[in-house]
Amino acid sequence: MEDIKKYNVRDSVFKILFEKSFREDTIEELYSIVKEENIQEITITNKVQQVVNGIVEHQAEIDSIISKYSTTRSIERIATANLIILRLAIYEILFDDKVPTNTAVYEAVKLAETYSAPKDVRFINGLLGAFTRNVEDKQS
């Protein structure tokens, strides 16, 4: 049951950030729209808001990490869905002590399997694998 909840949080975070990438509305306005229009596919909880706001707050730092580890394409050429999935996973790895690194990567791959092309799943897994190996080496 808890895993389903956590997946729903990630899925809602993904959907809010994906929607934001196409709209001029603020994040707060998007939260209101979801609640007012009772959009069932997105759940707005404190945890969802915490993660979304954290990703937005740390986006420049996260994007610089993505740029560093993306050896095959510049960040501007990464599909929006893939970029959001990468941002979410890197945010969890760096800023959410309750999410183990391997869980963040696994869940990113699951999201990619749902929202990205098969070649993009490999790209996301490879980038996160390279990043986490570097993070683990620094922690040793």
Side-chain angles (χ1 to χ4, degrees):
M1 178 77 168
E2 188 65 26
D3 289 339
I4 293 170
K5 276 179 151 176
K6 289 179 182 177
Y7 183 81
N8 287 342
V9 166
R10 288 180 182 95
D11 191 65
S12 291
V13 167
F14 171 83
K15 288 174 180 172
I16 290 165
L17 291 174
F18 190 77
E19 188 67 27
K20 175 66 178 122
S21 71
F22 296 103
R23 299 174 68 126
E24 294 295 321
D25 300 304
T26 67
I27 293 291
E28 294 301 324
E29 289 169 333
L30 287 176
Y31 295 150
S32 294
I33 291 167
V34 169
K35 290 176 184 175
E36 288 169 12
E37 296 183 12
N38 197 24
I39 298 171
Q40 299 296 314
E41 297 82 28
I42 302 174
T43 305
I44 303 297
T45 63
N46 289 338
K47 182 64 176 175
V48 168
Q49 290 177 321
Q50 175 190 351
V51 175
V52 168
N53 294 340
I55 291 169
V56 170
E57 179 183 339
H58 296 284
Q59 185 172 319
E61 178 183 355
I62 293 167
D63 284 358
S64 71
I65 291 167
I66 294 168
S67 292
K68 178 180 177 182
Y69 287 93
S70 179
T71 58
T72 58
R73 53 189 102 155
S74 68
I75 196 164
E76 296 82 18
R77 300 207 24 99
I78 297 173
T80 301
N82 300 339
L83 191 55
I84 292 167
I85 292 166
L86 288 166
R87 285 174 179 156
L88 173 56
I90 292 171
Y91 172 81
E92 287 185 322
I93 292 164
L94 293 179
F95 300 104
D96 192 336
D97 295 336
K98 294 182 179 173
V99 178
T101 297
N102 60 339
T103 300
V105 173
Y106 174 79
E107 293 296 333
V109 169
K110 273 180 51 176
L111 278 173
E113 288 171 346
T114 302
Y115 296 111
S116 301
K119 67 179 175 55
D120 294 330
V121 174
R122 290 188 299 276
F123 168 74
I124 289 167
N125 193 33
L127 188 147
L128 292 174
F131 170 65
T132 57
R133 280 189 296 280
N134 192 348
V135 170
E136 290 167 359
D137 287 347
K138 287 182 179 178
Q139 292 175 347
S140 298

